Amino acid sequence: IDREDFPALFAMKSDPDDVKWSGFASPPDPARFQDWFEEAIIDPHRLLFGGYLEGEMVAYANFRRSGLTFEPSSGTAAAHRGKGYAVTARSEAMKAIRAIEPGAVFVSWIAETNTAAQRSATKNGFAATSVTKEQVYLFPERRVEVMRLYQLP
């Protein structure tokens, strides 16, 4: 992802479904999101990937890094949901990350009620687990993809 992708990413992050599952109460403020984006594209602890269809960004995969642990979030443009674009973007991103960090561990935090995200994560090799966030960070050598389910407040 680069600066020219900002409008597409902002539109996806502002979509009501994306906002709902992100845990935020409202869409991002445009100026604050622009500031976040400018930092994120140069932050070595954040990796942003885009999924493109005919030159248009239709999905994103965002990975926050802590050591060898990568926490993904992803989304798809509303007009392209249900076509597997987020799964593909996340899959390709995970391959790229593993090419540089063979010991990478991926942990996805998904709301218990977000069954679409659970199905999507399962297609990327994630499985539900009872492992806590603290255990994952203490024992990153497990080298597995885990999907930790949580309850929305």
Side-chain angles (χ1 to χ4, degrees):
I1 288 181
D2 57 31
R3 285 180 177 83
E4 68 187 28
D5 295 315
F6 176 79
L9 181 62
F10 182 72
M12 285 184 258
K13 296 297 286 177
S14 298
D15 179 82
D17 282 338
D18 199 284
V19 172
K20 174 184 176 181
W21 296 119
S22 71
F24 292 102
S26 60
D29 172 77
R32 289 183 65 195
F33 191 76
Q34 179 76 48
D35 291 343
W36 173 88
F37 179 79
E38 292 296 329
E39 289 295 320
I41 60 176
I42 60 170
D43 182 351
H45 301 291
R46 175 145 334 253
L47 303 165
L48 296 172
F49 297 86
Y52 301 85
L53 178 66
E54 298 175 1
E56 174 191 0
M57 189 168 83
V58 298
Y60 69 89
N62 172 17
F63 291 80
R64 191 175 69 198
R65 177 183 189 162
S66 176
L68 289 177
T69 302
F70 295 82
E71 291 183 31
S73 63
S74 59
T76 306
H80 297 284
R81 287 206 181 105
K83 300 175 183 173
Y85 296 132
V87 172
T88 301
R90 199 170 41 243
S91 175
E92 292 302 313
M94 289 168 68
K95 286 179 195 172
I97 290 168
R98 279 229 168 88
I100 341 174
E101 293 290 359
V105 176
F106 297 94
V107 180
S108 187
W109 303 91
I110 300 173
E112 290 178 325
T113 53
N114 191 346
T115 56
Q118 291 173 34
R119 283 191 307 272
S120 176
T122 300
K123 291 175 183 173
N124 287 124
F126 288 84
T129 180
S130 61
V131 172
T132 67
K133 194 170 191 175
E134 292 74 25
Q135 288 171 318
V136 169
Y137 285 118
L138 288 174
F139 305 108
E141 69 276 3
R142 295 189 64 207
R143 307 237 193 295
V144 295
E145 280 73 64
V146 296
M147 172 177 30
R148 177 75 174 131
L149 306 180
Y150 66 89
Q151 293 180 334
L152 288 174

